[in-house]
Structure formats: structure tokens, C-alpha cells
Amino acid sequence: MRKGRKRQRRQQPAQSALSPLVAAPNPLVPAEFPELVFGLVGPAGADRSMVIEILTKELSALNYRTHVVRLSKMIEKFFGRSYDSIGEDERIGKLMDDGTKIRETTQRGDAVVLLAIAEIRRVREQEFKNKPEKIGYILDSLKHPGEIATLRNVYGQGFQAVSIYSPRDIRVNALAKRIAQSRHVRADGARAKAESLIERDEEEEGKKLGQDVKEAFPEADFFVDGRTRKKMEETKRFVELIFSHPFHTPTVDEYGMYHARSAALRSADLGRQVGAVIATKDGDIIAVGCNEVPKAGGGLYWPGGDEDHRDFQRGNDASVEQREQILAELLNRFRDSGWLAERFRRKSIKDLVQLLLYGAESKVIAKTQILDLLEYGRSVHAEMAALMDAARRGVPVRDATMYCTTFPCHMCTRHIIAAGIDRIVYIEPYPKSRARELYGDSICVDQSAPVKGKVNFDPFVGVAPRQYLRLFEFGVTRKDERGKAIDWKKRGPKPRISRFRNTYQDIETTIVSDVIPVMMKQLGVNENSFPTHSKQGG
């Protein structure tokens, strides 16, 4: 018996040696304090540095280390050059050239952000010693919607896009000042250069894979007002929501815009889903609407009824049919009057229409107003549907706020003004809208401050509808066993997201070892200029 007990005691150290294997992290259990990735979408001239400072400070208060990855430096590193010693306007212009070159050569809208993903992997391995917990990466800054889509695919809930709104005149003044300081000239002399760069930054004309902040901006998870330090401090609230703060609830604007987005999901329009909500200043919902085909007796078609005559049931978009008809009519007149070039006269009108709209000659009429005609669609626009909803029920809308997922078109704007709506809040731009040009006497768009006596069109700021349920849902205990409100900080804040390291790190490895080397060959870049792929491959 004694020998047996001794034998057992001798075996115990062997069992303790196995205990680390037994205690190994379960791959099916998400990390308790996962890595976070924040991608800033900052239009040229917007103050991103202040948002970076606030993010860094708030993450540090929650015991998270931070690392800023500047995509401009990744571009320079990729090509093995530096633009630090040239004027600010030239520096920005060359970075835009290089970024567009990478995207166009690789035919990838996300190409530049792949370099940032490689840098995240390098920093984790070399600076954070492969400890992927309590770390926040801040990417400065994103310029194409493809970058946001890829970051969401790679990092899932761990990625948050933050768009920084700043009125155009403030951005022009700020950028002109920076250019002037770098050139040692007066700011007013640099204003034209600033205007040109800002316009290119928003949308690079004629290039599908150029700068495209206009389309990237509305894809954010959080929109921050970049006009003042106080407004930018709202970023703190967003971080605390990510870390399960139990007492942050939606603002009036967040509440209204979420309902507008919810209304948009009802639409089966062939073009896009748009939602609108009319609310009082206190946030009480007055009426809702979406872009959908109207039905006799009032309102819009719902699924499941005896009759359903929405566009998808008919199989075509009436506005596209009418556009083709208008163009055919014009071409027929031109041909009969001898205005068509000889090489087109023998072609049928139908073939000419196809060439101009969808074929080899489409560039001829690209971005002309004939392609932007709105009045021939069968769907009631969301803003009009909301106004009609209020009118049918006899609910006044004077001095109310309208929340629109998309900037109102000029046709809806005239009715918004006439109805007495006081304020418009929107997320997505709408290039077809001529509202500003046609109704500048009655509306105010993108101003530094509200203008009395006009309908103010304000970009939405706050938690985006896409994150509304996840960040505001009651997911943690708010009181202790005695019914007292809990102290969030003392309880120990934790992110409310789920991340499995083995998923996103495997994707990173593939990007670094397989995708980036192909990009370097396509662009003729020396592998030594951006060596992270060879160090981290496999």
C-alpha cells in the first residue's frame, strides 16, 4: 500500500505538467478582451487627429493599448519613397495618385487597406509579442468603400468604421492653411488648390477605383461631428457603448434614423431602399414612409395581398424604360434632321440606344442629366410617402424633423419645404438631387451653423442604424441584488463583441503571404520595399 501511495505521489508532477494543455484556450470561446480595429473615414481637410487623440485616451482608460496605422505611410513604404519634404498639396496629390494606381492596377477597391492589415499583423508579432488582447488599432484613413467591406469581412464585430463630418467650408479653410504653411505663402492663395483636392478626395471623376470618400462615408458604424472638440468628445460615448456601458441610450436623432432605416427595409424597389420618418422635436414618431409603388385606396403595396403590382412583379423599372424611350426619340429626330454622324446612320435606333446607355459609347452621355431623370419611376419616394402618411391621418408636420436614409431629391424637397418641415437629417448622399441649386432660397445645406428661416439639411451624427440594436440592447445587469444601479467602471468594462482569433488571423496570413506578393508583382514593386509578407508568410 505504501509503495502504491508513493507511486501515486510520483505521478502527480506528470499530471501537473499536462495541466497547461488542459487549460489551453478553447477555440470555440471568444476572447474576453479582443483586439479592436477602428477605421477613420475623414474627408480631406477634416480634423482626424483630434478623433485619434480621443480614441487613444478612452481606450487607454479601459486598459487597452493603441497603435495608429497611417495608410499614407503604408503607401509610401510600399513604393519605397517619402513625400515628407514637399508641399502639402503636392504630398496629398501624389498619395492620391499612388493610392489610385494601386487600386486600378490590382483591380481591387480594398488594395491599400490590405497593406494596413499586413502592418497590423507585423505590429502584433513584433511590438505586442503575439498577445492579441487589449489592443486597439486605429487606421488613418479610409478612402474607398471596398476598404470598409474588406475590414468587416476580416475582423467582423471587431471592426468599427468612424466617419468624421465637417462642413466643406471649414475643411477648405483648414486644408488651405496647411498648404500655405508648407509653402510659406498666404492661405487665400492656396484656397484653389484645397478646393481641387477636396473635390478629388470626395470622388475621383472617371475612375471607378479612384478616391471615393463620398461612398465610403455613409458606411460608418459611428458618425462624429468634427466641428468642435466638444462635439468630437461624443466618440467617448461610442467607445463606452462598445464596452457594454449599460446607461447610454439612443439620442433623439439616433432613434429617428433607426426607424427611418427600419422603414427602408420594407421597400422592394429595383433601385435602392430608402426610408423616411417624420418626428417631433422630442422624438415622437409622426409618420413613416419608404420608396414603394402606391396602391389604390391609399398607402403602398404590402407583400401577401390579393394583388401585388410592385416593380419586381412586373419585371422591369419604368424609369429605365422611359429613359430609353426619350433617348430613342431624340436620336430619331437627329437622324431625320441629318444631325447623326455617317457611321451611325445605318444603325437602328434601338442599337444606338443600347450603345449609348450600356455599350461602347456609354461615355458620351455618362453623368448627363438625361440619365438622372426621376419623374418616370412608379415608386413614391420615401419622403413623399411619409408626408402622405401624415396627410391621410390628418397629423400636422409643421416644424417637425424628417429623418431620411438618403439625401432628398429635388422633387421631394419642394414638398418638404411646402409642408413646413423644419429640419432634414440624412446619411447617404444623392448625386442626382438638384435640391441645393433649385431651392437655395429656402434650404441650407452643409453649413457651419443652423440658419434661421430655412430648412436645415444636417448630416446624421451618432450611432449608425446598422449598430443600433447591438449597442443599445439591454445585454448586461443594470442593478445589484439590492436594486442599486451598478457602477459600470467598478464592475470592469468588457467589449460586447465576439471575436475568434483563429479566424481573422488566418485571413491575415493569407493576405500577407499570398495576396500582397501578387500586388507587388503587378505594380513592379521591389519586395524589399514592403518586406512584411516574406517575414510573416505561412
Side-chain angles (χ1 to χ4, degrees), residues 226-415:
R227 282 177 281 192
T228 65
R229 171 74 189 227
K230 183 178 180 180
K231 291 180 183 297
M232 283 186 272
E233 288 285 355
E234 279 296 303
T235 308
K236 174 182 178 181
R237 171 174 171 267
F238 178 58
V239 173
E240 290 179 346
L241 277 167
I242 293 172
F243 280 78
S244 308
H245 196 296
F247 302 118
H248 287 320
T249 57
T251 64
V252 169
D253 282 359
E254 288 168 341
Y255 181 75
M257 190 58 76
Y258 172 73
H259 280 279
R261 180 57 187 152
S262 178
L265 300 181
R266 178 191 163 185
S267 171
D269 188 85
L270 295 177
R272 58 166 61 192
Q273 291 179 311
V274 183
V277 158
I278 303 174
T280 67
K281 295 289 190 292
D282 291 328
D284 300 323
I285 304 299
I286 295 174
V288 299
C290 71
N291 58 325
E292 193 52 274
V293 176
K295 63 181 179 66
L300 313 173
Y301 283 110
W302 283 96
D306 294 336
E307 293 186 352
D308 187 348
H309 296 286
R310 290 178 288 174
D311 282 347
F312 79 92
Q313 298 285 13
R314 291 162 56 105
N316 55 25
D317 185 336
S319 62
V320 174
E321 284 185 329
Q322 291 297 317
R323 183 174 63 193
E324 292 178 354
Q325 181 62 32
I326 291 169
L327 187 56
E329 186 178 339
L330 284 172
L331 290 171
N332 193 48
R333 293 286 184 95
F334 289 155
R335 185 176 63 182
D336 291 348
S337 303
W339 278 37
L340 277 185
E342 181 64 34
R343 64 192 179 105
F344 294 127
R345 288 177 188 170
R346 295 181 181 179
K347 290 184 179 292
S348 69
I349 295 298
K350 183 178 180 179
D351 286 344
L352 287 177
V353 168
Q354 295 300 309
L355 276 173
L356 283 169
L357 289 178
Y358 317 112
E361 303 295 332
S362 59
K363 289 183 179 180
V364 175
I365 62 171
K367 295 195 174 183
T368 59
Q369 293 190 43
I370 195 172
L371 301 183
D372 292 344
L373 294 175
L374 303 172
E375 59 265 42
Y376 295 107
R378 296 179 67 239
S379 290
V380 178
H381 289 196
E383 300 90 332
M384 281 299 300
L387 289 172
M388 291 299 97
D389 178 36
R392 284 197 314 277
R393 293 183 290 108
V395 181
V397 298
R398 190 180 185 88
D399 297 329
T401 298
M402 179 179 282
Y403 297 93
C404 311
T405 57
T406 300
F407 190 97
C409 74
H410 45 276
M411 294 193 301
C412 288
T413 298
R414 70 181 80 157
H415 297 290

Side-chain angles (χ1 to χ4, degrees), residues 1 22 58 83 86 114 173 193 199 211 213 235 252 256 309 325 330 348 365 403 433 445 464 505 532:
M1 291 293 293
V22 175
E58 296 310 317
Y83 296 129
I86 60 179
L114 298 183
N173 290 338
K193 293 178 180 178
E199 186 173 339
Q211 301 279 122
V213 172
T235 308
V252 169
H309 296 286
Q325 181 62 32
L330 284 172
S348 69
I365 62 171
Y403 297 93
S433 180
V445 181
Q505 289 188 18
T532 54

Side-chain angles (χ1 to χ4, degrees), residues 53-118:
E53 179 188 324
I54 294 168
L55 273 174
T56 301
K57 176 184 174 183
E58 296 310 317
L59 288 170
S60 177
L62 294 162
N63 299 315
Y64 263 62
R65 295 171 290 176
T66 58
H67 184 90
V68 180
V69 178
R70 302 194 185 278
L71 272 67
S72 59
K73 292 301 179 184
M74 294 298 100
I75 292 173
E76 290 181 345
K77 183 179 178 181
F78 185 73
F79 286 110
R81 50 192 175 222
S82 173
Y83 296 129
D84 289 344
S85 61
I86 60 179
E88 184 69 356
D89 55 317
E90 189 178 359
R91 184 187 75 85
I92 294 173
K94 286 185 177 296
L95 286 168
M96 287 182 176
D97 291 340
D98 288 347
T100 298
K101 182 180 179 180
I102 294 173
R103 287 187 291 268
E104 288 190 329
T105 302
T106 61
Q107 285 296 292
R108 297 186 65 120
D110 64 350
V112 175
V113 89
L114 298 183
L115 307 181
I117 290 172

